[in-house]
Amino acid sequence: MKLKQLVVAGLMLSGAFFASAENASEFVVEDIKIEGLQRVALGAALTYLPVNVGDKLNSFRISQLIRSLYDSTHFESIKVLRDGGTLVIQVRERATISRINFEGNKDIKDEQLQQSLEESDIRVGEPLDKTVLTSIENGLKDFYYSIGKYNADVSAIVTPLPRNRVDLKLLFEEGDAADIKQINIVGNEVFSDAELLEQIELRFDTPWWDFLSETRYQKQKLTGDMETLESYYKDRGYLRYSLDSTQVSMTPDKSGIYITLNMDEGEQYTISEVELIGDLLGQEEAISRILPLSEGKMYNLAEVTYTEEFLSKYLGRFGYAFPEVTTIPEINDEDKTVKLTLSVDPGKRIYVRRINFSGNDVTADEVLRREVRQMEGAWLSNTALETSKARMSRLTYMEEVDFETVRLPGEEDKVDVNFKVKEQPSGSFNAGIGYGDRTKLSLQAGIQQDNFLGTGKRLGLNLNTVSYQQSATISYTDPYFTIDGISLGGTLFYSEFDAGNANLVQYNNKSWGLGANFGYPVDEYNRLNFGVTYKYNKISQLQTYDQIRNFYDMFADPNDPDAGIQFNTYEFSAGWSRSTLNRGVFPTAGSSQRATAKITAPFSDVDYFKINFDTKFYFPLSRDQRWSFLARLEAGYGNGYGDLDGNDQILPFWDNFRAGGSDSLRGFENNTVGPRPIYRRPSTITAPDGSQIPLGPNADTITDTTRLRAIGGNAMVLGGVELIVPTPFLDEELDNSVRTSLFVDVGNVWDTEFRVENYDGLAESERNKIADYSDIGRFRASAGLSVQWLSPMGPMIFSFSRILKEEDGDESRFFSFNIGQTF
């Protein structure tokens, strides 16, 4: 390329020399004329000339003049002439690019090609430098060769247009990629070919059914595989391992590749001694106790690298952000040992001048700044920065958070910290009308915002009407009511609930209430919450069944059994939460725990308590955390306390635990898992005179419970495991908004107050209709596939489930769809 340019320049200079041969002697320039200008202004062209009127001009100055004009990149050809004392320069401008087209490219996207051309200053509206096209053609061919397409060809076609314009077309003939026919490994004795081939990405001779395998040769993969093999050996003590040579040969038709790796494994080495030298800031004893490397262990390159990173991070806690940690090995080939000397230079302590934020188009800086634990003016702490990143990442309206430290020019001990964030939808706005088999006509409208107007405050206003419920809720929470992180919030709600249309035993519950809560941060991960709520409930149209008959009789009016019952309750609640999750939505690492308890005040109409505990653990299975394992558990228990008119109080049936559906046991219909009501027809009734009147041969019978709807229970345990996998056919950048997982759900709801022995007096045929709803051994299970999408309208969950264990009367659902909170 450079040689070609020199030849072209030489020819041009020679042409210019011969053109002015008659005027080879020096002369004084009296005037300057430039002919042939079209797009370039005369004034601009004169600025490129190293010659002015009045200067003496000779052949050397002419060569400088021509070179300067070519360097301006505006001209394709230049001639220099003399007309008496006038310097005449005849130019032909480079053609302007009118359009750029790509044809035949599949492996390279148009956007990538456009970016590559712009980096070479080839873009529409700019002059075309044809000398650059050859290098672009060769560069693209090299790319195709690197991915095994040795028959590929790239041609740049320039089509002239009127007014000194051109069309530029890049024509691609990609051809087929060469497949790897065989990979030979020579020199290995410790590990077999099969073991080593299992470690690398390049594949050959894959079975027909493994359609996901790729046998195409790629130079980048080969380079990576060579590094992988080196790490594989050195991580297992083979310190002297070396890859002596690599041969890549192809078949005559360029359709196949043979790869040969020649290696020298060497011997295994153990660590004879680990020595620390340099300035350890007085932390020698502490570092020695927790140092990963130790005497007598097998040499491990990965552990050596980890130790260097560990020391760097440890020193970073004290403000030494750019330490130099170097491992110096002293190899003893006689006894196959190595002494490792860790040389530590902490450098200067670094201080933070300013903390900046970018990418937060909606969220105010102060909302992010209050999560930062690194202070401006203080020395830089890696621990504080990582904690700040984790806290911001756990905000539900942040998709990605990253930071970098930038050294200030001329300041050896000062940096700026730049946080770069990517926001995601922090709530939902919806309004619509729908119809479903179960819900019938539904209307809904609402807004739920976790980052209201970018302030980080949560505001919710929701109106919903479906066949089983009409509700309205207003909620507000300020997570930083005080600068110390004390939160304050409140809720006002109204609801009319028809249990019969929600897969539950029939009753209507009209309720309203209001509450207030505040939270207190204990430390970076733990938080306490307290609240008080007033609720009014009015129950009507209740189908009384055995499990709640005593409770109902305590409050019902015997003279007007259809009047319904009503309650006023005053609830006090307390909760503890802990989170080390790496993100607020779709986490892949860390854990969260939440425990809540509520109890009604003794002056309430009903006295009961309720306890919940929920925990989740995420275990990343790959470095990029696209593969992760989730284990989760949720448990709850509630009951009454005290007695009323000699009867023990129980957990009110409208506050029972329920299970089934997309947010608990997938594969089961909503609210259908758990105890069922028992309806018993008595054998006699009492006559007005006090005598007992028999009801006939069908008396004292039990309604078949498998045909009845669930009633919930006062105890619940739900658990499950999930394998989170990359979503097929979606780019990695969408992992934070779409999640796919394979799951197994297990759990049940029980009634611990149920006594099956109370029905021992029934006939065996009737007794067999009753299950023991207090039996802890009863449970349900399902497995399937779940896809969660954080859509602009809110989180959406799609589940495909198969029932693994069920009970008579359970209702299953292969596919379910839910809009709600993700987990």
Side-chain angles (χ1 to χ4, degrees):
M1 172 65 187
K2 291 184 177 179
L3 179 60
K4 183 178 178 180
Q5 289 177 333
L6 290 174
V7 171
V8 172
L11 292 173
M12 292 178 177
L13 290 174
S14 299
F17 174 79
F18 289 117
S20 56
E22 60 177 316
N23 303 312
S25 59
E26 288 186 349
F27 73 97
V28 176
V29 178
E30 298 176 359
D31 192 14
I32 299 175
K33 291 183 179 180
I34 302 180
E35 299 175 351
L37 294 177
Q38 296 181 13
R39 179 175 46 84
V40 180
L42 176 61
L46 291 174
T47 61
Y48 302 136
L49 297 178
V51 176
N52 295 313
V53 173
D55 291 348
K56 289 184 178 180
L57 195 64
N58 53 31
S59 58
F60 176 72
R61 296 290 299 277
I62 291 174
S63 65
Q64 286 184 319
L65 181 151
I66 294 174
R67 187 178 297 110
S68 177
L69 289 175
Y70 274 120
D71 288 344
S72 71
T73 71
H74 291 293
F75 306 110
E76 191 173 86
S77 65
I78 302 168
K79 289 183 179 181
V80 179
L81 304 172
R82 174 184 175 186
D83 184 8
T86 301
L87 175 64
V88 180
I89 303 172
Q90 296 178 348
V91 298
R92 188 172 71 210
E93 294 181 355
R94 286 179 177 170
T96 302
I97 300 174
S98 176
R99 185 171 53 182
I100 300 176
N101 295 319
F102 308 109
E103 185 176 316
N105 55 304
K106 297 179 180 178
D107 280 350
I108 309 178
K109 296 180 180 180
D110 287 1
E111 295 78 9
Q112 294 173 299
L113 290 169
Q114 195 70 47
Q115 181 180 355
S116 178
L117 292 178
E118 289 181 357
E119 290 174 354
S120 300
D121 292 328
I122 294 182
R123 56 178 63 88
V124 173
E126 296 292 328
L128 175 63
D129 185 357
K130 294 182 180 179
T131 61
V132 179
L133 293 179
T134 302
S135 64
I136 292 175
E137 290 174 342
N138 293 334
L140 291 171
K141 288 179 184 178
D142 289 341
F143 166 76
Y144 282 112
Y145 296 164
S146 70
I147 61 173
K149 292 194 171 185
Y150 291 98
N151 291 316
D153 188 38
V154 182
S155 302
I157 302 174
V158 179
T159 304
L161 297 175
R163 300 191 303 277
N164 199 29
R165 296 176 301 125
V166 294
D167 271 357
L168 174 61
K169 177 190 289 185
L170 287 178
L171 183 62
F172 296 82
E173 295 180 9
E174 295 185 339
D176 296 325
D179 288 331
I180 301 174
K181 300 299 183 183
Q182 192 170 353
I183 300 177
N184 301 308
I185 301 178
V186 180
N188 56 308
E189 297 179 359
V190 179
F191 302 106
S192 66
D193 288 2
E195 288 178 282
L196 297 178
L197 291 174
E198 187 65 27
Q199 308 304 316
I200 64 178
E201 289 190 61
L202 292 178
R203 292 284 183 266
F204 73 96
D205 194 25
T206 58
W208 65 269
W209 46 263
D210 191 2
F211 57 88
L212 294 178
S213 294
E214 176 65 71
T215 60
R216 184 171 67 173
Y217 170 75
Q218 296 188 45
K219 183 178 180 181
Q220 295 88 342
K221 280 190 177 181
L222 177 59
T223 302
D225 287 343
M226 293 164 59
E227 296 175 355
T228 298
L229 290 176
E230 181 177 3
S231 298
Y232 187 77
Y233 272 94
K234 291 188 175 181
D235 290 349
R236 288 156 180 78
Y238 294 90
L239 181 59
R240 292 292 194 185
Y241 165 86
S242 64
L243 187 64
D244 295 334
S245 63
T246 303
Q247 291 89 37
V248 179
S249 58
M250 69 182 75
T251 58
D253 60 356
K254 298 183 180 181
S255 64
I257 295 290
Y258 294 91
I259 301 174
T260 302
L261 305 175
N262 297 282
M263 63 177 58
D264 181 5
E265 293 178 317
E267 301 286 341
Q268 272 187 322
Y269 285 75
T270 57
I271 300 174
S272 60
E273 183 183 352
V274 178
E275 182 181 3
L276 290 168
I277 62 174
D279 185 3
L280 298 175
L281 309 177
Q283 302 292 322
E284 292 85 354
E285 184 177 349
I287 292 176
S288 298
R289 286 200 303 266
I290 59 178
L291 199 67
L293 293 174
S294 61
E295 179 182 343
K297 294 176 67 175
M298 190 70 67
Y299 176 82
N300 187 320
L301 178 61
E303 199 166 66
V304 171
T305 303
Y306 172 76
T307 301
E308 294 176 347
E309 295 174 352
F310 166 78
L311 286 173
S312 296
K313 290 183 178 180
Y314 186 84
L315 296 173
R317 297 172 57 187
F318 305 98
Y320 297 89
F322 305 105
E324 293 183 4
V325 181
T326 307
T327 303
I328 306 170
E330 296 180 29
I331 303 174
N332 188 331
D333 291 319
E334 294 183 1
D335 59 4
K336 301 299 184 290
T337 61
V338 57
K339 175 185 176 182
L340 300 178
T341 302
L342 296 169
S343 175
V344 180
D345 179 10
K348 289 189 175 183
R349 175 171 278 184
I350 307 299
Y351 294 84
V352 176
R353 184 191 68 164
R354 185 176 298 127
I355 297 176
N356 305 307
F357 300 93
S358 63
N360 52 318
D361 299 326
V362 175
T363 309
D365 275 14
E366 64 181 80
V367 175
L368 301 178
R369 194 172 296 276
R370 65 194 184 191
E371 304 295 338
V372 174
R373 294 301 178 260
Q374 171 68 62
M375 298 293 104
E376 293 178 342
W379 42 263
L380 182 67
S381 170
N382 288 338
T383 303
L385 289 177
E386 291 294 342
T387 301
S388 304
K389 176 183 175 180
R391 289 182 62 87
M392 281 189 278
S393 298
R394 285 194 285 269
L395 297 174
T396 58
Y397 39 90
M398 287 296 143
E399 181 177 337
E400 293 179 5
V401 179
D402 208 349
F403 68 86
E404 64 174 347
T405 55
V406 180
R407 284 190 165 181
L408 301 180
E411 300 282 354
E412 295 183 1
D413 60 346
K414 290 183 180 179
V415 297
D416 281 350
V417 178
N418 297 329
F419 281 94
K420 184 177 181 180
V421 303
K422 182 180 179 181
E423 296 173 311
Q424 65 184 4
S426 57
S428 61
F429 175 80
N430 57 74
I433 181 171
Y435 184 86
D437 292 339
R438 289 186 175 272
T439 60
K440 306 303 179 185
L441 183 66
S442 63
L443 301 171
Q444 57 183 357
I447 181 172
Q448 183 69 40
Q449 180 61 255
D450 287 349
N451 187 21
F452 181 63
L453 299 179
T455 62
K457 298 175 182 178
R458 292 188 287 273
L459 176 67
L461 172 60
N462 285 281
L463 303 172
N464 284 281
T465 173
V466 294
S467 63
Y468 58 86
Q469 186 175 28
Q470 295 79 44
S471 64
T473 304
I474 300 175
S475 61
Y476 175 81
T477 301
D478 184 352
Y480 275 84
F481 181 70
T482 71
I483 195 173
D484 298 324
I486 293 178
S487 63
L488 182 66
T491 304
L492 176 65
F493 65 89
Y494 175 83
S495 173
E496 294 184 10
F497 180 70
D498 183 352
N501 286 330
N503 299 326
L504 297 169
V505 169
Q506 177 60 48
Y507 70 87
N508 289 348
N509 183 5
K510 181 182 292 186
S511 62
W512 67 272
L514 55 90
N517 61 81
F518 75 94
Y520 176 79
V522 178
D523 54 31
E524 298 295 344
Y525 308 106
N526 295 274
R527 188 177 188 86
L528 299 177
N529 294 277
F530 304 93
V532 58
T533 303
Y534 164 76
K535 286 184 180 179
Y536 168 82
N537 290 277
K538 182 178 181 180
I539 310 297
S540 60
Q541 299 184 23
L542 173 65
Q543 296 179 4
T544 309
Y545 46 91
D546 272 18
Q547 291 97 318
I548 65 166
R549 187 172 299 279
N550 290 336
F551 176 86
Y552 180 77
D553 289 345
M554 288 189 293
F555 298 96
D557 183 355
N559 298 319
D560 188 7
D562 296 328
I565 52 180
Q566 53 190 358
F567 306 90
N568 291 292
T569 58
Y570 303 87
E571 297 176 355
F572 296 96
S573 62
W576 161 75
S577 61
R578 177 182 181 273
S579 177
T580 61
L581 299 176
N582 62 336
R583 281 198 295 270
V585 178
F586 292 161
T588 55
S591 68
S592 69
Q593 292 77 39
R594 181 182 298 273
T596 59
K598 69 176 183 179
I599 186 171
T600 59
F603 47 82
S604 300
D605 291 337
V606 287
D607 298 332
Y608 66 94
F609 65 90
K610 198 171 181 181
I611 301 171
N612 289 77
F613 177 74
D614 176 56
T615 183
K616 299 181 180 71
F617 289 89
Y618 291 86
F619 304 94
L621 302 179
S622 59
R623 288 187 177 181
D624 59 5
Q625 298 187 1
R626 300 192 71 197
W627 294 77
S628 187
F629 181 79
L630 164 63
R632 55 187 178 83
L633 174 69
E634 181 181 0
Y637 177 76
N639 215 329
Y641 70 91
D643 62 80
L644 183 64
D645 298 332
N647 294 308
D648 291 338
Q649 299 230 38
I650 63 173
L651 181 69
F653 58 87
W654 64 82
D655 219 358
N656 277 346
F657 293 104
R658 302 160 186 166
S662 299
D663 57 348
S664 56
L665 281 171
R666 287 162 284 190
F668 294 88
E669 282 283 0
N670 292 336
N671 302 325
T672 60
V673 171
R676 303 182 186 280
I678 296 176
Y679 296 103
R680 176 165 54 175
R681 183 180 180 185
S683 58
T684 62
I685 61 173
T686 303
D689 60 1
S691 62
Q692 299 295 314
I693 302 175
L695 294 178
N698 294 325
D700 221 8
T701 58
I702 300 296
T703 303
D704 186 359
T705 58
T706 61
R707 298 182 180 181
L708 300 177
R709 295 179 173 180
I711 59 176
N714 70 321
M716 175 193 68
V717 174
L718 299 173
V721 293
E722 294 193 42
L723 177 63
I724 300 168
V725 301
T727 303
F729 313 115
L730 287 184
D731 293 336
E732 184 176 350
E733 61 200 31
L734 297 176
D735 284 349
N736 292 339
S737 57
V738 180
R739 165 163 289 182
T740 301
S741 64
L742 304 173
F743 67 85
V744 175
D745 290 345
V746 181
N748 203 15
V749 175
W750 300 272
D751 181 358
T752 63
E753 297 297 305
F754 183 78
R755 298 293 179 264
V756 70
E757 57 268 19
N758 293 341
Y759 302 90
D760 288 346
L762 296 175
E764 184 176 356
S765 60
E766 301 302 316
R767 171 65 177 78
N768 291 337
K769 295 179 181 179
I770 302 174
D772 186 358
Y773 297 125
S774 64
D775 182 6
I776 196 69
R778 300 166 63 92
F779 68 93
R780 274 84 161 176
S782 64
L785 170 71
S786 175
V787 179
Q788 303 177 47
W789 175 34
L790 192 64
S791 73
M793 295 178 60
M796 296 186 179
I797 306 173
F798 307 86
S799 299
F800 303 86
S801 311
R802 179 182 177 86
I803 303 300
L804 302 179
K805 189 178 187 305
E806 60 183 333
E807 296 190 2
D808 292 340
D810 284 345
E811 298 181 51
S812 62
R813 178 189 291 181
F814 172 71
F815 171 75
S816 63
F817 165 73
N818 186 56
I819 299 179
Q821 182 62 41
T822 59
F823 50 84

